[in-house]
DNA sequence: GCGGCAACATTGACTAGACATTGTTCGGGC
DNA sequence: GCCCGAACAATGTCTAGTCAATGTTGCCGC
């Protein structure tokens, strides 16, 4: 096989073969020559085309898989991944921010064409994990109410949405029932005497934990965005901490900001 | 798009060895037994411990690397990655949103302890790529001003920040000079008669392109957040489109929202 | 026509090696 | 003491194979 290797230009150290294979395939994908959903050459074909061992080809493909560009569908082959973005609009939850014409434009671009949403809800009392405890300003291990949702579209899980409330605030309320709260839990909280005045949004991006991979049925090479929303009432007491986990290949997070005092 | 969904609550066949190795190491890391910066057992040691071939051990470690939990430092071994978050606060750019006490709390938690920031600025005229053109509502290929910044802390690149303006708006202005604009480009835009009234924020998370890996010196297993800000003046005309690229292992994106009409 | 079964193609997992590459360490020469 | 080079230890790359797992396809019997 060493003959075919001479084709390289003589650089200090040429890129290893598997990276050259990955780069060549990546180019064909990003250039559009291989479109979303299309099948890549089989490992066998690539082995012959490049004159390397099958394992080397597999290493190259593994690079693309970990970049989220390619998925395997055994035993059919490897396929270029389809990306299809879906809007995720944190501000939509508060129903009081009238969308501006520009916002509408953005929303229209990614329309939901007859997708069927559904969800599962599970309410339980848990000891607050550190991240939640810190945001709700309680001691870690304090009992809080966790309202865990997984949202589906056309049967596919797309979104984890876990809301946490201090137990004494929502005890015996509607929020404790594992059913949809039609008017929204924020309205329900307000009805209990805790109207939220403001919220802080934090967004992290990470590779998912195995637990998140399981709950969202994720493929490899898919990072997730973790979005914390901590809601406060007027006196600064936090009353809600929501954790949203979004597979990044399905969501765009969109905010709109108005500048109260304009630059003048 | 069901592409890859492993819904394996029950597994007839036991997990493959490399995944068991990965899981065992991951447990030791997340439990804190192996702390950030610590060295993993060598491949040789793991090979003997598990009684498998070296390649199998390597596959297991590769899983952790692609999850961003582990990095290799040849020829010393594999090390548990240190994560250190830094605040990224889009609203900070507008200097008119007084931070609430809660916001301050969040900022204080991640203090910058004597870090030395620096940046490079590069201004050029470019043909608008599709993503920018769409947001500035111009035809793709139209000439726009690109003000490209890379921000460094302690000499390490941490952030790409590319602002784009329609050429005719900023022609001959201070914005065209490749130097820092002390009062901020938004103020400069306002002084030119284009005060921004509102902005739309979009956040995507992706595995980085090779180009982004190069500019930010990223390691493997690091997703990036791509943050677009499109600024509009009162009549709805977009006057600015900024693209921020943030390595996710270094940033938390933080927003604060005030509810104009409170749930009552 | 139709249900079920077997062959098939393809990826997945793994082995047992070889040689390359590269920071580190340490000892010898000056 | 200091510099340089060699040995070293660890990961990086690659080969050539074996056997397993699994959707798909098409054939066969009914």
């Amino acid at each position: 096989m060493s003959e075919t290797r001479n084709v390289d230009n003589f650089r200090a150290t040429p890129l290893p073969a598997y990276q050259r294979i990955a780069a060549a395939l990546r180019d064909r994908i990003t250039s559009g020559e291989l479109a979303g959903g299309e099948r890549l050459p089989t490992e066998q074909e690539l082995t012959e085309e490049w004159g390397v061992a099958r394992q080397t080809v597999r290493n190259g493909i593994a690079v693309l898989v970990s970049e989220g560009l390619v998925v395997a569908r055994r035993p059919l082959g490897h396929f270029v991944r389809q990306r299809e973005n879906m809007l995720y609009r944190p501000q939509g939850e508060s129903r009081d921010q009238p969308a501006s014409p520009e916002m509408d434009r953005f929303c229209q671009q990614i329309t939901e064409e007859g997708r069927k949403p559904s969800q599962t809800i599970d309410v339980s009392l848990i000891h607050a994990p550190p991240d939640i405890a810190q945001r709700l300003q309680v001691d870690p291990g304090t009992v809080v109410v966790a309202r865990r949702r997984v949202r589906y579209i056309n049967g596919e899980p797309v979104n984890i949405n876990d809301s946490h409330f201090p137990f004494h605030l929502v005890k015996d309320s509607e929020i404790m029932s594992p059913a949809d709260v039609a008017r929204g839990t924020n309205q329900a909280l307000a009805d209990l005497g805790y109207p939220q005045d403001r919220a802080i949004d934090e967004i992290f991006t990470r590779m998912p934990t195995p637990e998140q991979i399981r709950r969202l049925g994720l493929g490899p090479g898919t990072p997730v965005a973790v979005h914390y929303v901590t809601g406060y009432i007027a006196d600064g007491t936090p009353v809600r901490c929501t954790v949203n986990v979004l597979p990044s290949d399905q969501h765009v997070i969109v905010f709109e900001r108005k500048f109260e005092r304009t630059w003048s």
Side-chain angles (χ1 to χ4, degrees), chain A:
Chain A
M1 306 284 121
S2 43
E3 272 75 17
T4 51
R5 210 92 41 86
N6 286 345
V7 180
D8 302 343
N9 9 352
F10 286 92
R11 305 161 58 172
T13 53
L15 277 178
Y18 78 98
Q19 286 189 24
R20 276 182 280 128
I21 295 172
L25 289 172
R26 189 190 297 113
D27 280 349
R28 295 178 61 186
I29 292 171
T30 54
S31 76
E33 182 191 334
L34 282 169
E38 228 171 310
R39 213 195 74 172
L40 269 59
T42 65
E43 296 174 357
Q44 182 56 40
E45 286 164 1
L46 289 169
T47 296
E48 286 161 11
E49 178 186 342
W50 290 82
V52 296
R54 177 169 165 234
Q55 190 60 49
T56 303
V57 166
R58 281 179 66 74
N59 286 345
I61 294 176
V63 171
L64 302 181
V65 170
S66 82
E67 286 174 3
L69 284 177
V70 157
V71 290
R73 280 177 46 197
R74 201 167 50 153
L76 299 186
H78 287 99
F79 291 78
V80 180
R81 186 162 187 175
Q82 298 259 28
R83 289 187 182 276
E84 174 185 358
N85 276 322
M86 140 168 296
L87 272 199
Y88 169 68
R89 197 145 74 84
Q91 291 167 323
E93 67 172 11
S94 70
R95 280 166 206 155
D96 68 348
Q97 306 244 10
S100 67
E102 288 73 34
M103 198 59 166
D104 277 340
R105 244 178 30 84
F106 272 99
C107 294
Q108 278 165 13
Q109 276 164 15
I110 305 158
T111 329
E112 17 258 291
E113 314 100 359
R115 316 201 218 197
K116 289 171 197 158
S118 62
Q119 59 180 0
T120 61
I121 299 181
D122 155 56
V123 177
S124 54
L125 293 177
I126 62 167
H127 296 283
D131 54 337
I132 302 298
Q134 180 214 327
R135 289 175 177 79
L136 285 180
Q137 295 175 27
V138 299
D139 291 324
T142 304
V143 170
V144 297
V145 176
R147 206 182 147 80
R148 296 202 186 91
R149 273 192 294 184
V150 180
R151 291 182 175 140
Y152 302 83
I153 289 200
N154 294 338
E156 305 265 330
V158 293
N159 179 340
I160 294 177
N161 178 272
D162 295 350
S163 290
H164 304 81
F165 309 91
F167 178 51
H168 67 276
L169 293 191
V170 299
K171 188 169 40 176
D172 304 326
S173 81
E174 188 182 7
I175 288 175
M176 299 287 296
S177 93
D180 196 29
V181 178
R183 67 193 196 281
T185 51
N186 289 327
Q187 184 62 53
L189 255 187
D191 292 348
L192 288 167
Y194 306 105
Q196 285 165 69
D197 183 53
R198 58 195 182 281
I200 288 181
D201 294 276
E202 297 165 87
I203 298 162
F204 300 78
T205 71
R206 282 288 145 78
M207 295 313 279
T209 64
E211 148 84 5
Q212 292 169 347
I213 290 176
R214 190 182 56 74
R215 270 178 90 186
L216 285 173
L218 294 177
T222 308
V224 294
V226 182
H227 174 212
Y228 286 89
V229 188
T230 312
Y232 300 87
I233 56 178
D235 72 0
T237 306
V239 295
R240 166 182 71 117
C241 179
T242 301
V243 187
N244 292 284
V245 181
L246 317 166
S248 71
D249 61 338
Q250 297 182 345
H251 291 270
V252 195
I253 304 171
V254 181
F255 278 90
E256 176 168 23
R257 285 185 272 158
K258 293 213 163 67
F259 301 130
E260 291 165 23
R261 279 180 298 164
T262 255
W263 293 284
S264 55

